[in-house]
Amino acid sequence: MAALRRARERQARIEAATTRTLKAQASLDRAVEARNLAIERYDERVADAEAARAAEITELVRTCRSSEAAAEILGWSVQELRRVVKVDRDRRDAATGACDGDS
């Protein structure tokens, strides 16, 4: 009789431990998914900020009518400034091309 009671108690402990383990795994899975979504949102915000900065730099170059003057204002090299303007132009062209392709 005592052996049967011990076996039932052991089975109950196994079931309880299994339940806790499965809950812990599900919690971990949710945390990892939340982290991945947060990283994705962060990456999107960084990309948006980079695009906005590039657009403003491009506008500064247009307003100054000189890459050299804009670079001097920003304290950048002309090469660095032109690289940013080129990336902005390529991004805008790609966005315009994507819109044209959808029509």
Side-chain angles (χ1 to χ4, degrees):
M1 192 65 158
L4 182 58
R5 181 179 47 78
R6 285 192 304 272
R8 285 184 183 151
E9 288 172 353
R10 182 172 180 267
Q11 183 62 34
R13 287 192 310 272
I14 290 170
E15 289 174 4
T18 300
T19 299
R20 289 190 309 271
T21 301
L22 293 174
K23 285 181 180 180
Q25 181 62 48
S27 178
L28 174 62
D29 292 344
R30 286 190 305 273
V32 167
E33 182 62 25
R35 181 195 64 192
N36 290 339
L37 290 173
I39 289 169
E40 186 177 316
R41 285 192 304 269
Y42 174 79
D43 289 347
E44 289 171 0
R45 286 195 341 249
V46 168
D48 291 346
E50 288 174 341
R53 180 197 67 160
E56 293 301 332
I57 289 170
T58 300
E59 183 59 29
L60 178 62
V61 170
R62 278 193 208 110
T63 302
C64 292
R65 295 184 181 155
S66 164
S67 295
E68 292 79 10
E72 185 175 335
I73 290 167
L74 295 173
W76 291 14
S77 70
V78 175
Q79 294 79 12
E80 184 179 8
L81 183 125
R82 287 183 176 156
R83 181 189 55 77
V84 170
V85 170
K86 181 181 182 318
V87 167
D88 181 54
R89 186 179 329 115
D90 293 346
R91 184 189 55 77
R92 288 176 191 241
D93 290 347
T96 302
C99 290
D100 292 344
D102 291 344
S103 299

